[in-house]
Amino acid sequence: ARTVAYAMDLAEPTHAVTITQPGTNSAEITKRLRLFTSAVREKYPDFQMLWAAEESEDGMIHVHGIYYIGNTERGLSRKVIEYAKGRAGIPTLCFSKPIPRGARAQFMGYMTKTLGDPKTAARFHELNRSPSRLRVYQGRGFFRDGAGGRPLTLREAKKLSFQRSRSRASTSALSA
C-alpha cells in the first residue's frame, strides 16, 4: 500500500473530493464514478482523478478521491460538480477542497484508512473489487512525474517514487 501512496504523491494531486452515496456495490460505484469523471471532462478534458470507496461504521458508503486538472492549481467549481453528479445519478453530497501543500501524504492515507482495521478491511476490498491487495481506481494518465511531468504507468510511478525515496534516505543519512 505504501508504494501506491508514493506513486500517488508523485503525481502531485492538488485537490481531494468526497462523494457520498455513490452506490451500494462495486459495479454501481464504478459505473457512477466513470460517468462523473466523463461529465467533468466535458469541461476540463485534462481532469485526472484517483479514488477508492469505503463504508463507514454507520454503514454509509462513500468515495474519497484525489485529483488534478492539468498543470494548474484549479479545482472543480460547484456548478461542474452539480452537473457531474446529475449525469452520474449521484443523489447527495459531493465536495472538493484543495490539498494543503505538504499534506498530500495525509490525504492519501485517509483514502485507505479502513484497510488498517480487520473489521472494515474486507468491506474495503469488496467495494473496490480487490480480494486482498490495495486497489484504487484511476483514469488513464493519472500517474505522472510531477505536475507537468511525463505520463507514467502505475508500475513506473511506483518504481520511480521508490527510487527517489531511497535516494532521499541515503542523502539524509550522509548529511547526518
Side-chain angles (χ1 to χ4, degrees), residues 11-41:
E12 297 184 9
T14 58
H15 288 74
V17 64
T18 300
I19 301 170
T20 60
Q21 298 181 355
T24 58
N25 59 60
S26 61
E28 184 178 21
I29 294 166
T30 301
K31 178 182 176 185
R32 285 184 171 173
L33 268 289
R34 281 186 182 139
L35 290 169
F36 179 88
T37 300
S38 294
V40 170
R41 285 189 179 140

Side-chain angles (χ1 to χ4, degrees), residues 31-96:
K31 178 182 176 185
R32 285 184 171 173
L33 268 289
R34 281 186 182 139
L35 290 169
F36 179 88
T37 300
S38 294
V40 170
R41 285 189 179 140
E42 290 174 23
K43 173 73 174 168
Y44 301 114
D46 49 359
F47 172 78
Q48 294 292 337
M49 183 170 77
L50 180 141
W51 60 270
E54 70 175 5
E55 185 170 0
S56 59
E57 287 181 14
D58 65 1
M60 184 184 71
I61 297 172
H62 55 284
V63 165
H64 293 291
I66 54 174
Y67 72 88
Y68 61 86
I69 300 173
N71 299 323
T72 71
E73 296 286 321
R74 180 180 23 181
L76 297 176
S77 69
R78 185 96 214 93
K79 184 177 178 181
V80 169
I81 289 173
E82 290 303 316
Y83 172 73
K85 274 179 39 182
R87 287 279 310 277
I90 297 170
T92 59
L93 181 69
C94 175
F95 65 88
S96 168

Side-chain angles (χ1 to χ4, degrees), residues 100-175:
R101 293 213 181 269
R104 287 194 314 255
Q106 294 160 325
F107 277 82
M108 285 166 237
Y110 189 75
M111 284 177 62
T112 58
K113 66 187 175 298
T114 57
L115 280 174
D117 182 348
K119 292 182 242 167
T120 56
R123 184 67 171 145
F124 178 93
H125 289 300
E126 180 184 325
L127 289 171
N128 292 289
R129 293 186 190 168
S130 58
S132 62
R133 62 183 174 80
L134 172 61
R135 177 169 181 186
V136 290
Y137 292 88
Q138 79 273 353
R140 280 188 326 258
F142 177 84
F143 294 103
R144 61 184 179 174
D145 188 4
R150 69 182 175 87
L152 302 169
T153 64
L154 172 57
R155 174 177 280 155
E156 291 170 327
K158 286 164 69 172
K159 182 178 178 181
L160 184 58
S161 62
F162 178 75
Q163 289 169 343
R164 289 186 181 162
S165 69
R166 304 264 309 171
S167 174
R168 283 190 297 273
S170 63
T171 301
S172 38
L174 291 175
S175 62

